[in-house]
Amino acid sequence: TADGSQHGHVAYPIFVFSRKRSDSATTMKLLSESRINYHLVVSEEDYPLYRDKYPDADILIVDKKDSISKAKQFIYQRMKEDGFPYVWFLDDDVLSIKHLEENVSIRSIMSASERFIEDYSNVSILGFNEGVHDSDFKINQIVRGFTLINMQAEDGFGDVEVFEDISFALKNIKNNFVTVKLEEYSIDYTKGISGGASHILMTEAIKSVKKLHELYPEYVGEKEMIFKSRMLPKIYWNNIPTSIRSRQVELLITELENKKGKQI
């Protein structure tokens, strides 16, 4: 079924980005347990280790000099050229995703997320909650690690070495897109620096914060903040005056305008 049930249909391609974590990565196991097909993106120098660890995985190799953000930009561009409307981009350190503290299948969560994003025209990136649930979803929040990307949005990866999801979101927010965090789903990660950026020194993260501040001074502070043992840019989301757009409402408005034009 495609209704978000335990056996929901996952419609769009899934890419897991991993660097130097063939023995400790957790996302691949999570997907395999739910019998979900995915593409594993690794550098050429890491390929032998991942090939031996995940012999059944569809492994894509990128240049060893490429950062995670550059690898994401490469995959993004290829998928866009191939005509996919949405694509899943996942870090490799996801432990679990729960629905209101209950265990539900990853497949059903991904299916429900796809149904959600398809109902709106200006959601550039969709992700999950990392804190306390207090609403169904929130607009313009940091979403990362396990994200559904809108291929109809602006190309946005590659500006920074770390926090590429945030860079992508901010670039699109300036073009009247939004991020959405589904609050009813809570995501947990392994300890340490997030995902495929785990091999990058903290100094690279600090450089990325400064770069984001230079690019988006109205949205990003000069200094970072610490959140659950992870460093993140300080984002001023309240400065962003945008809202979510319903496809159904847009279709209705178009229909009414067409009828009005015929009457004239």
Side-chain angles (χ1 to χ4, degrees):
T1 62
D3 60 358
S5 71
Q6 287 291 320
H7 302 286
H9 173 61
V10 181
Y12 302 117
I14 302 166
F15 293 88
V16 182
F17 297 82
S18 190
R19 284 285 176 91
K20 302 185 184 299
R21 291 166 63 107
S22 59
D23 290 330
S24 59
T26 54
T27 304
M28 293 82 92
K29 179 181 178 182
L30 198 65
L31 295 173
S32 296
E33 288 175 347
S34 293
R35 303 185 68 180
I36 297 174
N37 294 327
Y38 64 92
H39 306 279
L40 180 57
V41 184
V42 304
S43 70
E44 55 184 337
E45 63 180 347
D46 291 339
Y47 172 69
L49 294 173
Y50 282 93
R51 177 196 59 204
D52 295 340
K53 184 72 173 180
Y54 306 97
D56 298 324
D58 180 13
I59 301 180
L60 303 178
I61 304 171
V62 295
D63 193 288
K64 64 180 180 180
K65 296 179 181 179
D66 285 349
S67 63
I68 292 293
S69 61
K70 288 181 180 178
K72 286 186 175 182
Q73 176 64 17
F74 174 76
I75 298 298
Y76 181 94
Q77 197 61 42
R78 286 290 299 273
M79 292 297 99
K80 193 167 187 176
E81 291 172 0
D82 289 344
F84 288 99
Y86 303 98
V87 174
W88 288 96
F89 279 7
L90 281 54
D91 284 347
D92 63 358
D93 61 342
V94 179
L95 280 175
S96 66
I97 304 177
K98 296 180 179 179
H99 176 257
L100 299 179
E101 303 303 323
E102 297 178 0
N103 289 321
V104 296
S105 73
I106 299 298
R107 180 181 293 277
S108 68
I109 292 172
M110 295 177 76
S111 178
S113 301
E114 290 176 345
R115 303 295 80 75
F116 182 99
I117 202 171
E118 289 169 344
D119 284 341
Y120 300 95
S121 64
N122 68 326
V123 178
S124 64
I125 181 170
L126 178 147
F128 304 119
N129 183 31
E130 294 183 49
V132 178
H133 165 266
D134 57 10
S135 62
D136 291 335
F137 65 90
K138 289 183 178 178
I139 297 173
N140 290 337
Q141 301 280 309
I142 290 179
V143 288
R144 61 188 181 86
F146 203 111
T147 55
L148 183 55
I149 306 294
N150 186 349
M151 295 289 108
Q152 302 151 83
E154 295 291 323
D155 296 8
F157 295 105
D159 289 338
V160 296
E161 293 295 305
V162 191
F163 312 128
E164 68 282 345
D165 292 343
I166 296 173
S167 175
F168 178 84
L170 291 175
K171 180 171 287 189
N172 283 286
I173 280 171
K174 296 194 75 170
N175 291 293
N176 203 30
F177 280 82
V178 300
T179 72
V180 166
K181 181 197 291 184
L182 296 182
E183 288 280 290
E184 59 186 310
Y185 301 117
S186 179
I187 189 168
D188 287 322
Y189 298 95
T190 56
K191 303 300 181 183
I193 299 176
S194 176
S198 63
H199 70 291
I200 299 177
L201 297 176
M202 191 64 74
T203 53
E204 292 299 323
I206 294 174
K207 289 179 183 178
S208 291
V209 171
K210 293 180 179 179
K211 180 66 174 179
L212 285 172
H213 174 70
E214 292 174 4
L215 292 169
Y216 311 103
E218 68 273 39
Y219 302 145
V220 183
E222 294 184 65
K223 296 184 178 180
E224 68 283 352
M225 61 182 180
I226 302 298
F227 179 69
K228 289 188 177 180
S229 301
R230 293 183 175 92
M231 189 170 71
L232 294 171
K234 187 175 180 63
I235 308 293
Y236 305 118
W237 296 109
N238 292 337
N239 292 355
I240 305 171
T242 188
S243 60
I244 198 168
R245 293 199 304 260
S246 166
R247 290 190 190 277
Q248 297 301 319
V249 171
E250 288 182 341
L251 289 172
L252 178 61
I253 291 174
T254 301
E255 183 179 349
L256 291 174
E257 289 177 344
N258 289 339
K259 288 182 178 180
K260 183 178 179 181
K262 290 178 180 178
Q263 290 174 357
I264 293 172

